[in-house]
Amino acid sequence: MSRLQRSGDKKIVWVTGASSGIGRALVKRLAADGHYVIVSSRNREALLDLQLGHAKLIRVLDCDVGSDTSMVEAQRRLQEITDELDLVIACAGICEYDDNLSLDLASYRRVFDANFFGVVNTLRVAKPLLANSRQPVFAAVGSLSSVVGFPRAEAYGASKAALEYFIQSVRADTSKVSLRPVLIRPGFIETPLTTQNDFKMPFLMSADAAAERILVGLERKQSVIDFPRRLSWPLRLLNLLSPLWYRLCAPRITRIRKLRKA
C-alpha cells in the first residue's frame, strides 16, 4: 500500500483510542471530509471495521499506547505509513474508580499508563513526523474532572490533571516553534467508559456531538477546548471557590462514611 502524502488542504491525522467513543466519532468525521486518518487502539477488529468504506483514507495501526514495547513497534510501522503528520488527537484512555479509598497501586498504574504515559508515548512517537508539517497540532483528551477533586476519581482525575499540566508545559516549551498543543476537556460523553458509571451524569453528550465540538475548536485554533459550557463554567467557578466545593458539595456525593484501615 502506498505511503500517505498530503493532498491540497487535506490533512494527515493520527487518532488514538479510535475504536470507540470520541475517537471513533472523530475518525468518521475526518474521513468524511476527505482527510487521511491513521487509526490506533488495542482492538484491531474494531479498527478494521472502521476502515470499511474508507479504505483509501483510513490506515490501521493497532497498538497499546500505554506499553513502551508496543509503541516502539508502532513508531516503525507509522514511519512506513507516512513521513508527516499534520494533526494528532490522543483519545486513548481508561477509567477506574477508587472505592473506599483502597489506594490499589495496580489500578493507579493502569490508569496512569493509559491516560498519562500513553499521551507522552504518543507525542514521543509522533514528534518527528509532526516536525515535517507546516502547522502541526497535537491535541490530547483530558477531562473536566481535573478542574476540581471528585470522590472516587483519585486515579482517573489525577491522571487527567497530570496530562493537563503536561500539555501546558509542552505549550510553554514550544512557544517559539510551530507545534500547537491543544488540551481537550470534555464533560460526560456517551462512550463505553461511561456505561460503567452508576451515578447521574449531568449534561451527558453523544460522542458525535463531542467530536463536532472538538473539530470546531481545532478549526478556531483554541488552545483549550472544554465543553459543555453548562458544566465547564460552574466547575471553573467552583475551582476558584474551592473551599465551598469541599465544604458543601463534596460531602453530599462522597460514599465514604468511615475511614477503613485497609
Side-chain angles (χ1 to χ4, degrees):
M1 190 174 290
S2 62
R3 295 169 65 84
L4 296 181
Q5 292 184 327
R6 189 190 302 106
S7 175
D9 61 348
K10 304 305 181 183
K11 296 183 173 66
I12 300 176
V13 187
W14 182 23
V15 179
T16 70
S19 60
S20 63
I22 295 174
R24 188 178 184 86
L26 282 167
V27 171
K28 288 183 175 181
R29 286 177 174 268
L30 288 164
D33 288 341
H35 299 292
Y36 296 108
V37 191
I38 302 163
V39 295
S40 293
S41 83
R42 293 175 295 181
N43 190 338
R44 180 174 175 80
E45 292 303 316
L47 297 178
L48 291 173
D49 179 68
L50 186 58
Q51 189 183 38
L52 293 176
H54 296 285
K56 293 183 179 180
L57 294 176
I58 296 178
R59 300 289 177 85
V60 171
L61 177 62
D62 53 310
C63 60
D64 180 357
V65 297
S67 165
D68 296 348
T69 302
S70 178
M71 291 303 280
V72 169
E73 174 64 13
Q75 184 170 32
R76 182 190 67 77
R77 292 168 59 197
L78 183 63
Q79 291 173 344
E80 291 178 351
I81 296 173
T82 184
D83 292 321
E84 58 190 325
L85 287 170
D86 300 300
L87 169 63
V88 176
I89 310 178
C91 296
I94 63 173
C95 179
E96 294 186 26
Y97 292 116
D98 187 352
D99 293 314
N100 299 313
L101 203 62
S102 61
L103 302 175
D104 176 29
L105 292 181
S107 174
Y108 278 66
R109 289 194 173 106
R110 283 193 299 270
V111 172
F112 266 80
D113 279 345
N115 295 357
F116 177 69
F117 289 108
V119 174
V120 178
N121 255 337
T122 301
L123 179 56
R124 178 180 60 81
V125 168
K127 190 173 69 168
L129 303 183
L130 286 167
N132 292 332
S133 175
R134 292 188 296 272
Q135 294 180 315
V137 178
F138 181 85
V141 176
S143 171
L144 286 176
S145 66
S146 64
V147 179
V148 296
F150 284 92
R152 305 171 65 213
E154 287 84 356
Y156 179 76
S159 70
K160 293 300 188 179
L163 163 62
E164 180 167 340
Y165 188 91
F166 173 71
I167 293 297
Q168 302 290 20
S169 189
V170 169
R171 176 173 295 113
D173 258 334
T174 58
S175 56
K176 290 188 176 181
V177 299
S178 59
L179 178 64
R180 181 164 65 89
V182 178
L183 175 66
I184 301 166
R185 294 194 304 192
F188 294 108
I189 310 298
E190 293 180 30
T191 69
L193 277 182
T194 57
T195 58
Q196 66 180 305
N197 291 344
D198 57 356
F199 53 84
K200 184 178 179 181
M201 293 177 283
F203 312 118
L204 184 67
M205 297 177 61
S206 70
D208 285 336
E212 175 67 20
R213 299 286 185 93
I214 291 169
L215 293 177
V216 169
L218 290 172
E219 182 67 25
R220 293 175 178 174
K221 297 185 177 181
Q222 295 175 215
S223 59
V224 178
I225 305 170
D226 54 5
F227 55 89
R229 289 185 179 180
R230 291 177 296 173
L231 183 60
S232 66
W233 283 103
L235 287 177
R236 287 185 182 189
L237 180 60
L238 286 169
N239 177 262
L240 294 174
L241 305 173
S242 58
L244 292 179
W245 168 257
Y246 295 108
R247 186 183 309 151
L248 300 178
C249 301
R252 295 182 181 182
I253 55 178
T254 181
R255 301 183 182 184
I256 296 179
R257 295 294 181 265
K258 182 178 180 181
L259 191 63
R260 296 187 179 184
K261 294 182 179 180

